[in-house]
Structure formats: structure tokens, C-alpha cells
Amino acid sequence: MPVKLLKPADEAYQYPLLIKQLLLSSERYGANNEIVGGNNGKRYSYAEFNQRVQRLANMLTEQGVKQGDVVAVLDWDTPRYLECFFAIPMLGAVLHTVNVRLAPEQIVYTMNHAEDKVVLAHDDFLPLLAKVKHELVTVEKYIQLSDSDTPAEPALATVGEYERLLAAALPEFDFPDFDENAIATTFYTTGTTGNPKGVYFSHRQLVLHTLTLAATTSMNDNMQLMQASSVYMPITPMFHVHAWGVPYVATMMGLKQVYPGRYEPATLLQLFVREKVTFSHCVPTILQMVLSSEKAQAIDFSGWQVLIGGSALTAGLADAALARGIQVYTGYGMSETCPLLSTTWLPLEASDFDQQRQVQERIKTGRPVPLVNMRIIDNNGRFLPHDGEAMGEVVVRTPWLTQGYLNEPEKSAELWANGWMHTGDVGTIDSNYTLQIRDRIKDVIKTGGEWISSLDLENLISQHPDIELTAVVGLPDTEWGERPHAMLTVKADAAVDREQVADHLQQFIEAGLIEKWAIPDSVTVVAEIPRTSVGKIDKKLIRKQLQTAN
């Protein structure tokens, strides 16, 4: 017997899941809250913010933006960017969040590949665009974004400055209904080879992701990240997976939001203290940068909750954060997954745990969030048991996964082989559904027929009292195939060498956590570990640098 389909009355309103629906509740709950710009000190009520979104829609319409057009944004983290998160897709256009930390030739590639029509660019990026303007084949107009009330002459011809154009636009706009499967956003993820790949997300996907993220950050008694009293400040670039989608949640809930502009430790710390920030998210290297800042030593971080993603949260960093009063948690996902897949899940009795047990719980990759179906598979695509021991590639299904790579059908087919999205991560899942990522497939160190997890080694090395950050990679070896190498940053006035690392790891060998052949053959101490454009440790570049040096 066929399934029965819903047959609504002709008069019934067919409610599409569109980003504009997320704005409905912002003024209800956030009437007394502000959206703060650390870049220029300006503050907006939610009523003002909603009006600015409508002005932006009118302004873009006057510039010829229509449904289906792609509008690019090159900006730091500002309230302007948040306005673009809403106004551009609510018009039916596509928001392209350009990764401003890519090399110039890659920025050109992504803007041409996305077919950007109108570009909103901060003063800092206009000189770059002026140099490559002749290479941008689809761009028709530029709009200047300035933090100054008296903007300087732009480096290339624009149709005007954002605030002045906004002030001249009408304050009301009737956003249309359209198909919820319309593309709302696109951005580019960098891989190990070739050009960046474009991923894209629909209104329906972003709304479902927002609702699930809102539930996930408040459903665990010991991880109440976003509530009515929360003050949110992102430390993940807004060009990177919509700042993990959190701005959509914070706006829907009407929370006080603080946008720091360009990330500088002194500014972040000043805003944290002045605005009484309670929740942020970032990659581990950013948290380490904040903790290592000289100004941070005098700050009481009690009450700050930080969700860590992008790279593994090590025991050493988690321990250092907890010691300073920062409640850290792990989140897992990737650009292709919008990004939320799993988070830390602390048991009800977790508040009674000692710090060592707290650390161990918080660094786990976590349990899949609602609506996520997660499995692990072997090399033949067969499902493996959830026993905490079997290790395989993590594959997922959930409503908010990108449906492919923009205009790249072959890579899209690889991503979605056999109807599951392939993450490229190797992990285990235990009987309590807790995922533990062991490594990226490309980063597992294969030595003498055995596999060594670079993440496990990093986690153990990070617990050395003089080590701040570590990255472990495999280097070619004629006898063993590959051998581990550790790159370290250490605390001021500390000296760490290979022998000290080996002595430190001996305790974990005796405890049965690693084998003796996992001890790195070599160690390099550096001032800064190479990072990607979004702040993650760049192991591809590390391997290249080390192999060149040798």
C-alpha cells in the first residue's frame, strides 16, 4: 500500500524553510540585547539590525541583484557580515563568503568559479581586487566596506560606500517566498591538491542545521552554551562554514552578539572583558594564541565556554584551558557538512569529575547530534561494529550535507560514494555512540606495517608541561616506509628536545596506550607551527617543509 501524502487545503499556507523565518523571533527575545561591532564600536538593537537587513536588500536590488545572482563578501567579522548572512540569501541570491586568507590566484579562481556578480569588499581587500580586477570575468560592481565614518578613497572604482548606500535605501522590504531548496550560500574548501572546491547549501539545509545546533548547545545539562543570558563572540572566521552556523542560531535566539573584526589577541581579550562574553568557538591554535598572550595572564576567564573544532582538542590544551576557568568542549564537522556532526556529551554526574576525568571527556569527538546518522566502514565499504575498537572511515547522512562540489561531478561522486558522505576521517564508535576520530586518512602514519595515529601522539605529547602545541606527521623512511616527526612550540624559556619527548612518552608506553615504535624519530622546535587559511595546523605544508629541509 503506498504511503499517504499530505494534501493541504487550497487556502493553507505552504511554509517554506527559508532563512527569513529565522529573523521572526530575534526581536521577540532580543529586544534589550545588542549586536556589537568591535571593528568600529557601533552597537545596534535587534530592531535596528532588522531594518538594516531590509535596507541592504533594497540597496542590492537597486544595484541589479536578482534571484540566483551570486554576491561575494570579503570582510572581517563584523555586524555588516551578519547583515549579509541574511539579506543576500533572503533576496533569493547566493551569498559567497570569500576566504580572504587564500592566495590571490586562489581568490580569483573561487570568485570566477562561483560567478560572482556584485562584490562587497573591506578597505583592506580593495587593493588586492584592484590588482586582479581584469581577471574577474563575471564581476560587474564593487561596494566599499569601511570601518571609518570618513572612508578613504577606495583603491578601485565602486558604486559607493556601504553605510552611505544603506542610509539612502528604503527601510522596508517584502522578502519573497520561494523554493526552500534554493541555494543560499556557497564557499570554497581547500584540499591537499588542486584548486579549492565549492560547496553549497540550501535554505532548507541551513534552517534545519540552525534548529539542530540550537538544540545541541542547550540540551546537555553540563554544556549550556547558548541561553537567553549568553553573550556570543565568534572566533571562527565568518567566511568559514558560516562561522560554523552559530550566527544564525544567535540571531534567531536574539542573543547579544559581539563581532571582533580582525582577530588580534589584545582586541579579543578587551572585548571579552568589556562585553562579558560567555560563549565562543575556535580552532585549537586560536585558543592557544589567546592563552599565550601576555595580557591574558591577568584575566579571569571563569564562565567562558569555548567550543573547539577544526582540529583535535588535545589533553594538554584542554587541561590548560580548564585551569584558567575556560570550559572547553569538542565539536566535529567539516566544510562539506555545514558543519555540525557531533559534540562533546558530558554525563549528568560530570560536575563531580576531577580535572583529569574532565579533560578525557571533553577531548572526545563526541556523540552525533540529532538527525545525524553516522557509521564507520572498512576499505570495502562494509559497516564496522560500534565497539570502540573497530576503526574505519566515518561516513554520514543528515539533511544539511552539501549535495556535491560545485560544477565538479566526478569529485561529487567520490564524496557521495554508495549514498553516504565520506569524511576522509578514520575513527571508532563505541556502544554509547561516542565517536573518536583517530586521524585523517591521509595523515595516518604507516610504519613497518603498523598504523600510528598522529592525533593520538599529539594528544600525549601535548601533556608535557613545557609544550604548548604539537603537530605530528609521517616522513618517508627507506626501511619502515614512514616514521613520525614532531613539530613543537614550547613555553617561554623552555628547552625541549627529542630525548625529553621520548622520556615523556615512556609513561604511555608502559600504560599500554602506544607502542615503542610510535616515539618520533625526530623533533623540531619552532616559533610557530604552520597553519591553514582558517587557522588549522597545516600538515601538508609541514611535510613539505621538513622534506625540503632534509
Side-chain angles (χ1 to χ4, degrees), residues 32 68 130 132 148 196 201 338 368 391 414 495 533:
N32 297 318
V132 301
S148 173
F201 299 93
C338 197
M391 192 159 54
E414 293 176 9
S533 61

Side-chain angles (χ1 to χ4, degrees), residues 221-258:
D221 288 44
N222 292 303
M223 196 177 78
Q224 298 287 304
L225 303 183
M226 287 196 286
Q227 299 174 297
S229 60
S230 299
V231 179
Y232 164 61
M233 181 174 72
I235 321 180
T236 302
M238 296 179 79
F239 66 71
H240 182 52
V241 207
H242 326 107
W244 299 358
V246 184
Y248 284 123
V249 181
T251 304
M252 180 184 72
M253 296 175 65
L255 303 185
K256 178 178 176 180
Q257 303 183 59
V258 182

Side-chain angles (χ1 to χ4, degrees), residues 445 447 452-462 464 467 469-477 480 482-488 496-509 514-525 539 542 546 550:
I445 301 167
T447 182
I452 298 174
S453 165
S454 66
L455 298 186
D456 285 351
L457 263 184
E458 288 165 1
N459 184 49
L460 298 176
I461 292 172
S462 75
H464 189 289
I467 293 175
L469 281 178
T470 180
V472 175
V473 298
L475 294 181
D477 184 89
W480 300 104
E482 285 185 321
R483 291 294 300 147
H485 174 96
M487 181 174 282
L488 316 172
V496 179
D497 57 22
R498 191 264 176 189
E499 286 69 26
Q500 288 174 297
V501 171
D503 290 343
H504 169 71
L505 290 175
Q506 189 61 40
Q507 61 184 305
F508 303 114
I509 295 172
I514 55 172
E515 301 292 344
K516 61 183 180 180
W517 54 78
I519 293 178
D521 279 4
S522 52
V523 168
T524 303
V525 177
K539 292 192 175 182
I542 291 171
L546 292 172
N550 293 333

Side-chain angles (χ1 to χ4, degrees), residues 101-103 106 190-193 283-285 310-311 440 442-443 454 458 469-475 487 526 528-546:
R101 295 192 180 123
L102 291 176
Q106 289 185 315
T190 54
T192 55
T193 58
V283 296
T285 50
S311 300
R440 292 289 291 168
K442 62 180 181 290
D443 290 332
S454 66
E458 288 165 1
L469 281 178
T470 180
V472 175
V473 298
L475 294 181
M487 181 174 282
V526 295
E528 186 174 358
I529 293 176
R531 294 186 286 173
T532 68
S533 61
V534 294
K536 297 188 287 188
I537 289 175
D538 191 340
K539 292 192 175 182
K540 174 188 172 185
L541 180 56
I542 291 171
R543 282 189 287 264
K544 182 178 179 180
Q545 288 179 347
L546 292 172

Side-chain angles (χ1 to χ4, degrees), residues 145-265:
L145 307 178
S146 180
D147 296 334
S148 173
D149 290 332
T150 55
E153 188 69 22
L156 81 170
T158 70
V159 296
E161 191 274 328
Y162 184 90
E163 292 296 336
R164 295 175 181 176
L165 292 172
L166 216 62
L170 293 173
E172 295 181 353
F173 191 94
D174 184 16
F175 289 101
D177 281 357
F178 44 80
D179 193 321
E180 64 184 19
N181 294 300
I183 297 176
T185 64
T186 188
F187 58 88
Y188 285 75
T189 177
T190 54
T192 55
T193 58
N195 288 314
K197 300 185 291 293
V199 296
Y200 50 92
F201 299 93
S202 70
H203 283 255
R204 179 178 186 272
Q205 290 176 314
L206 289 172
V207 170
L208 290 173
H209 183 271
T210 298
L211 297 175
T212 303
L213 181 55
T216 299
T217 52
S218 61
M219 64 193 288
N220 186 301
D221 288 44
N222 292 303
M223 196 177 78
Q224 298 287 304
L225 303 183
M226 287 196 286
Q227 299 174 297
S229 60
S230 299
V231 179
Y232 164 61
M233 181 174 72
I235 321 180
T236 302
M238 296 179 79
F239 66 71
H240 182 52
V241 207
H242 326 107
W244 299 358
V246 184
Y248 284 123
V249 181
T251 304
M252 180 184 72
M253 296 175 65
L255 303 185
K256 178 178 176 180
Q257 303 183 59
V258 182
Y259 288 87
R262 187 170 185 167
Y263 294 165
E264 297 173 347

